[in-house]
Each structure stands twice: as structure tokens, then as C-alpha cells.
Amino acid sequence: MTVLKLPTVDELNEIDLSPLTKILEEAESVPDSIVEDFTKGPGKEPYALYAYLSTTFDNGTILDIGTLFGSSAVALSHNPTNQVISYDVNEHNDHGFFSERDNLTWKHMDFQKDETINWKEVKMILIDTDHTGEQETGFINFLIEKDWCGILLLDDIHQNPGMEDFWDCFDDDIKQDVTGIGHTACCGTGYVEFDI
């Protein structure tokens, strides 16, 4: 397995998220607090890391599992050659602002039931859902059944004991705790080179 060289905080600070921030600022359904979070920077919020990782490949598909306000999906759309599909089973917000990005689509459904996904084109998946560990384990079993390989990002790996247990299930040689360049220490960000 090839291990990707992860960026430093300084390298992530060089990423210009301002065009993406503008999309969120102009969206009526995105609270100001979410826009503020988007601009806090690496080590506090994971958006620069998501944008960076989207540049490590071209012409792929990225799945964002758990849309909520759409900020992660917008960050993942940083590389315009990739297609980002964001899924949420709950219709929290109006995500019409996604149409401002040609490479970003929102689907109100369970990604596991989307038969239009070409799994050979999916290069990266972000899971940011219930944070119980149980739902996330079900998703991992689904990905194993699909024989999927790629970059797996996990949000909030330190949020509670269930997520800690879930994170501990991955072998140390395929995972990295990237909280220092991702989400705050209380929540955490996990990076897995998924090739199981």
C-alpha cells in the first residue's frame, strides 16, 4: 500500500478556501457559525485538509456521507476535476447552493442504496454521521463487501467511547490520527488508507 505524505499545518494554511467560503456565506441555509468554523484553519477544523486531499488525485469521485450544512462537501469540491456526491438521510437544510459548484451534487438518501455509484471511480470517502461507532462499523462492512479501496476520512474519532472503539478496530499500519491538522483534539480526525 502506498502511504500518502500528509501535509503540515503551514502547507494547509497556504490553501485558499476563500472562493468556497463565499459559497457558504451566500447560502441562506448555512448559519454564520458554520462559515466561521470553515475559516478557523487546520488543527481547529478539517476543511483545509479535505481540500488538500482532494488534490492528491484527479478525475475521481468523492463521497461525503453526512451532509448537514454542506461545509465538508464544499471543501471536498476544491479540486474541480473530481465529482463530489454528498449524502444525508435527513433533509436538514436546503442545499440548492450546491448547484454553484459543477462538481458537487447532493442526494437525500442512504449512499448504500445508490446503485448509480461506480465504485471503481470512488477515490475518497468522508464519514461524518451519527458518531456512535455502530453506524460507522456498518458502513465499513458495506465498503468491504464492495471491495472498495481508497482514502477514508473519519470525523470525530475521539468524540465518545463508541467512536474510540471504532477507531481502534483499524490496524495501526493503515491509519493515522490526523487531529493535529484536522479537527479539534476533543473531536478528532482519522485518516485510513482503506485497502482491506
Side-chain angles (χ1 to χ4, degrees):
M1 174 180 305
T2 304
V3 177
L4 180 69
K5 180 191 171 291
L6 293 169
T8 64
V9 170
D10 289 339
E11 289 170 324
L12 291 178
N13 279 324
E14 293 176 12
I15 294 175
D16 181 13
L17 294 178
S18 59
L20 303 176
T21 305
K22 186 174 183 206
I23 292 169
L24 295 173
E25 285 173 336
E26 293 175 355
E28 291 180 17
S29 62
V30 179
D32 291 343
S33 61
I34 299 299
V35 177
E36 289 170 19
D37 285 348
F38 199 81
T39 61
K40 283 184 179 175
K44 296 180 181 72
E45 293 291 340
Y47 303 114
L49 175 63
Y50 296 166
Y52 171 84
L53 290 172
S54 79
T55 67
T56 61
F57 55 89
D58 291 317
N59 304 309
T61 299
I62 300 171
L63 305 184
D64 171 43
I65 313 305
T67 308
L68 195 54
F69 293 108
S71 49
S72 295
V74 169
L76 291 167
S77 76
H78 178 69
N79 178 353
T81 72
N82 295 321
Q83 293 299 310
V84 178
I85 307 169
S86 188
Y87 295 87
D88 210 318
V89 295
N90 299 308
E91 198 161 350
H92 300 282
N93 303 289
D94 170 20
H95 293 97
F97 66 92
F98 277 18
S99 62
E100 294 184 32
R101 299 285 292 171
D102 291 338
N103 67 330
L104 183 52
T105 304
W106 177 63
K107 293 189 177 186
H108 179 222
M109 67 182 299
D110 182 342
F111 84 100
Q112 297 168 105
K113 296 179 180 173
D114 188 350
E115 295 181 9
T116 67
I117 297 173
N118 181 341
W119 288 98
K120 291 185 182 350
E121 293 179 0
V122 176
K123 306 296 182 196
M124 183 163 57
I125 298 174
L126 166 64
I127 298 176
D128 185 4
T129 56
D130 283 349
H131 310 305
T132 63
E134 292 177 27
Q135 184 181 52
E136 291 81 0
T137 299
F139 291 162
I140 297 306
N141 290 334
F142 175 81
L143 296 175
I144 291 169
E145 288 173 18
K146 289 292 181 189
D147 200 26
W148 177 74
C149 299
I151 297 170
L152 177 65
L153 297 170
L154 303 165
D155 194 33
D156 299 327
I157 58 172
H158 301 304
Q159 187 171 15
N160 56 52
M163 286 301 290
E164 291 277 3
D165 290 345
F166 168 68
W167 177 243
D168 288 343
C169 287
F170 292 98
D171 291 338
D172 288 343
D173 62 339
I174 65 166
K175 72 177 182 182
Q176 274 192 307
D177 185 330
V178 292
T179 299
I181 57 174
H183 212 166
T184 54
C186 67
C187 297
T189 302
Y191 170 91
V192 180
E193 296 217 3
F194 198 87
D195 188 12
I196 297 175

